[in-house]
Amino acid sequence: MNLVATGLLALARNPVQREILCTEPELSRIAVGEFLRFDTPVPFPTRVAMEDVEFADRTLPRGTGLILLIGSANRDPEAFPNPDVLDVTRFAADRKTPRHLAFSHRPHFCVGAPLARLQGEVLFTELMRRVPDFDLLDDAPPYRLSVSMRGPLSLPVRMPA
Protein backbone atom coordinates (compact mmCIF):
# COMPACT_ATOMS: atom_id res chain seq x y z
CA MET A 1 0.00 0.00 0.00
CA ASN A 2 2.67 2.53 0.97
CA LEU A 3 5.05 1.34 -1.75
CA VAL A 4 2.41 2.06 -4.40
CA ALA A 5 1.38 5.45 -3.02
CA THR A 6 4.88 6.75 -2.34
CA GLY A 7 6.15 5.36 -5.66
CA LEU A 8 3.39 7.12 -7.58
CA LEU A 9 4.01 10.32 -5.64
CA ALA A 10 7.75 10.14 -6.35
CA LEU A 11 7.15 9.58 -10.07
CA ALA A 12 4.65 12.44 -10.25
CA ARG A 13 7.19 14.76 -8.61
CA ASN A 14 10.09 13.57 -10.80
CA PRO A 15 9.04 13.79 -14.46
CA VAL A 16 12.44 12.75 -15.83
CA GLN A 17 12.36 9.51 -13.81
CA ARG A 18 8.75 8.95 -14.82
CA GLU A 19 9.71 9.33 -18.47
CA ILE A 20 12.46 6.74 -18.03
CA LEU A 21 9.88 4.24 -16.73
CA CYS A 22 7.39 5.17 -19.45
CA THR A 23 10.05 4.52 -22.09
CA GLU A 24 11.31 1.34 -20.42
CA PRO A 25 8.54 -0.05 -18.17
CA GLU A 26 10.54 -3.25 -17.71
CA LEU A 27 12.79 -1.19 -15.40
CA SER A 28 9.97 -1.29 -12.85
CA ARG A 29 11.59 -4.31 -11.20
CA ILE A 30 14.62 -2.26 -10.15
CA ALA A 31 12.63 0.95 -9.68
CA VAL A 32 10.66 -0.73 -6.87
CA GLY A 33 13.90 -1.00 -4.88
CA GLU A 34 14.50 2.71 -5.38
CA PHE A 35 10.95 3.61 -4.29
CA LEU A 36 11.48 1.57 -1.12
CA ARG A 37 14.82 3.25 -0.45
CA PHE A 38 13.68 6.75 -1.34
CA ASP A 39 10.57 6.81 0.88
CA THR A 40 10.86 3.86 3.25
CA PRO A 41 7.41 2.58 4.34
CA VAL A 42 8.64 1.46 7.79
CA PRO A 43 11.26 4.06 8.74
CA PHE A 44 11.56 3.33 12.48
CA PRO A 45 11.27 -0.39 13.30
CA THR A 46 11.91 -1.39 16.90
CA ARG A 47 14.02 -4.22 18.24
CA VAL A 48 15.13 -5.58 21.61
CA ALA A 49 18.76 -6.60 22.16
CA MET A 50 18.75 -10.35 22.80
CA GLU A 51 22.26 -10.20 24.26
CA ASP A 52 24.74 -7.51 25.31
CA VAL A 53 25.85 -5.61 22.20
CA GLU A 54 28.93 -3.44 21.74
CA PHE A 55 28.09 -0.41 19.63
CA ALA A 56 29.91 2.93 19.22
CA ASP A 57 32.14 2.32 22.26
CA ARG A 58 29.14 1.54 24.46
CA THR A 59 27.54 -1.62 25.72
CA LEU A 60 23.83 -2.00 25.13
CA PRO A 61 22.67 -4.51 27.74
CA ARG A 62 20.46 -7.44 26.86
CA GLY A 63 16.82 -6.31 26.90
CA THR A 64 17.60 -2.76 25.71
CA GLY A 65 14.88 -1.39 23.46
CA LEU A 66 16.13 0.03 20.18
CA ILE A 67 14.63 2.19 17.48
CA LEU A 68 16.36 1.69 14.15
CA LEU A 69 16.53 4.63 11.76
CA ILE A 70 15.98 2.71 8.52
CA GLY A 71 14.73 5.79 6.67
CA SER A 72 17.94 7.59 7.59
CA ALA A 73 20.15 4.61 6.67
CA ASN A 74 18.47 4.46 3.26
CA ARG A 75 19.47 8.10 2.69
CA ASP A 76 23.08 7.70 3.90
CA PRO A 77 25.32 9.61 1.45
CA GLU A 78 28.22 7.26 2.22
CA ALA A 79 26.14 4.34 0.93
CA PHE A 80 24.02 6.02 -1.75
CA PRO A 81 25.39 8.80 -3.98
CA ASN A 82 22.90 11.67 -4.22
CA PRO A 83 20.61 9.98 -1.68
CA ASP A 84 17.90 12.65 -1.84
CA VAL A 85 17.51 12.23 -5.60
CA LEU A 86 15.13 9.62 -7.04
CA ASP A 87 16.97 7.40 -9.53
CA VAL A 88 14.86 4.53 -10.90
CA THR A 89 18.01 2.90 -12.31
CA ARG A 90 20.00 3.05 -9.04
CA PHE A 91 19.70 -0.70 -8.41
CA ALA A 92 20.53 -1.81 -11.97
CA ALA A 93 22.78 -4.90 -12.08
CA ASP A 94 25.71 -2.98 -13.59
CA ARG A 95 25.78 -0.53 -10.66
CA LYS A 96 27.42 -1.54 -7.41
CA THR A 97 24.72 -0.09 -5.17
CA PRO A 98 24.41 -1.48 -1.64
CA ARG A 99 21.09 -3.01 -0.63
CA HIS A 100 18.50 -0.77 0.93
CA LEU A 101 17.14 -1.73 4.36
CA ALA A 102 13.42 -1.15 3.73
CA PHE A 103 12.68 -4.84 4.36
CA SER A 104 15.18 -5.03 7.25
CA HIS A 105 18.01 -7.56 7.29
CA ARG A 106 18.94 -11.13 8.20
CA PRO A 107 16.70 -12.73 10.87
CA HIS A 108 14.32 -9.75 10.75
CA PHE A 109 14.03 -9.72 6.94
CA CYS A 110 10.40 -9.30 5.90
CA VAL A 111 8.96 -12.62 4.73
CA GLY A 112 6.53 -10.71 2.49
CA ALA A 113 9.31 -8.88 0.63
CA PRO A 114 9.24 -11.04 -2.53
CA LEU A 115 5.47 -10.63 -2.85
CA ALA A 116 5.65 -6.87 -2.24
CA ARG A 117 8.38 -6.52 -4.87
CA LEU A 118 6.43 -8.59 -7.39
CA GLN A 119 3.22 -6.63 -6.79
CA GLY A 120 5.12 -3.35 -7.18
CA GLU A 121 6.86 -4.53 -10.32
CA VAL A 122 3.61 -5.62 -11.98
CA LEU A 123 1.73 -2.49 -10.92
CA PHE A 124 4.37 0.01 -12.06
CA THR A 125 5.08 -1.88 -15.30
CA GLU A 126 1.42 -1.94 -16.28
CA LEU A 127 0.73 1.59 -15.07
CA MET A 128 3.58 2.99 -17.15
CA ARG A 129 2.37 1.00 -20.19
CA ARG A 130 -1.33 1.78 -19.82
CA VAL A 131 -1.65 5.14 -18.04
CA PRO A 132 1.69 6.95 -18.09
CA ASP A 133 0.05 10.36 -17.97
CA PHE A 134 -1.75 10.12 -14.63
CA ASP A 135 -2.04 13.36 -12.65
CA LEU A 136 -2.01 13.91 -8.90
CA LEU A 137 -5.09 15.70 -7.62
CA ASP A 138 -3.13 16.77 -4.52
CA ASP A 139 0.64 17.27 -4.78
CA ALA A 140 0.96 17.41 -0.97
CA PRO A 141 -1.31 14.65 0.34
CA PRO A 142 -1.70 14.28 4.09
CA TYR A 143 0.42 11.50 5.59
CA ARG A 144 -0.84 9.07 8.23
CA LEU A 145 0.04 10.01 11.78
CA SER A 146 2.22 7.05 12.67
CA VAL A 147 5.84 6.49 13.65
CA SER A 148 5.76 2.88 12.50
CA MET A 149 4.31 3.27 8.98
CA ARG A 150 5.00 6.07 6.49
CA GLY A 151 2.70 6.84 3.62
CA PRO A 152 -0.13 9.08 2.45
CA LEU A 153 -3.59 8.58 3.94
CA SER A 154 -4.82 8.63 0.35
CA LEU A 155 -3.42 9.61 -3.03
CA PRO A 156 -6.14 10.78 -5.39
CA VAL A 157 -5.06 10.61 -9.04
CA ARG A 158 -6.73 11.34 -12.35
CA MET A 159 -6.23 8.79 -15.08
CA PRO A 160 -7.26 9.82 -18.58
CA ALA A 161 -9.81 7.60 -20.27
Side-chain angles (χ1 to χ4, degrees):
M1 168 177 68
N2 292 325
L3 164 61
V4 171
T6 58
L8 288 174
L9 188 58
L11 287 175
R13 290 176 173 169
N14 294 276
V16 171
Q17 297 301 302
R18 182 176 176 169
E19 183 58 34
I20 290 170
L21 277 190
C22 286
T23 304
E24 299 179 71
E26 65 278 4
L27 291 176
S28 292
R29 181 184 59 75
I30 60 173
V32 165
E34 177 66 350
F35 299 145
L36 289 163
R37 182 205 68 81
F38 188 73
D39 200 350
T40 304
V42 183
F44 307 110
T46 59
R47 301 287 186 264
V48 174
M50 300 305 290
E51 58 189 46
D52 290 355
V53 176
E54 296 293 324
F55 182 76
D57 298 325
R58 298 186 71 188
T59 299
L60 304 173
R62 179 178 188 251
T64 300
L66 305 167
I67 299 174
L68 307 178
L69 304 178
I70 300 293
S72 179
N74 282 341
R75 293 285 185 109
D76 182 352
E78 290 184 27
F80 303 101
N82 300 313
D84 298 328
V85 173
L86 181 74
D87 177 0
V88 297
T89 65
R90 186 182 303 267
F91 292 99
D94 63 335
R95 296 174 73 179
K96 302 295 184 225
T97 305
R99 290 177 17 160
H100 63 76
L101 297 172
F103 290 125
S104 199
H105 188 63
R106 292 201 176 163
H108 299 286
F109 191 75
C110 175
V111 297
L115 179 58
R117 284 189 185 117
L118 179 61
Q119 289 173 328
E121 177 185 350
V122 170
L123 180 129
F124 287 106
T125 298
E126 291 306 312
L127 184 67
M128 293 299 104
R129 284 186 178 146
R130 297 177 189 201
V131 195
D133 52 347
F134 68 90
D135 293 312
L136 292 180
L137 296 179
D138 183 355
D139 188 48
Y143 272 63
R144 65 179 34 95
L145 299 174
S146 171
V147 295
S148 62
M149 297 292 290
R150 178 172 165 69
L153 287 169
S154 64
L155 188 67
V157 296
R158 179 184 7 242
M159 296 186 177

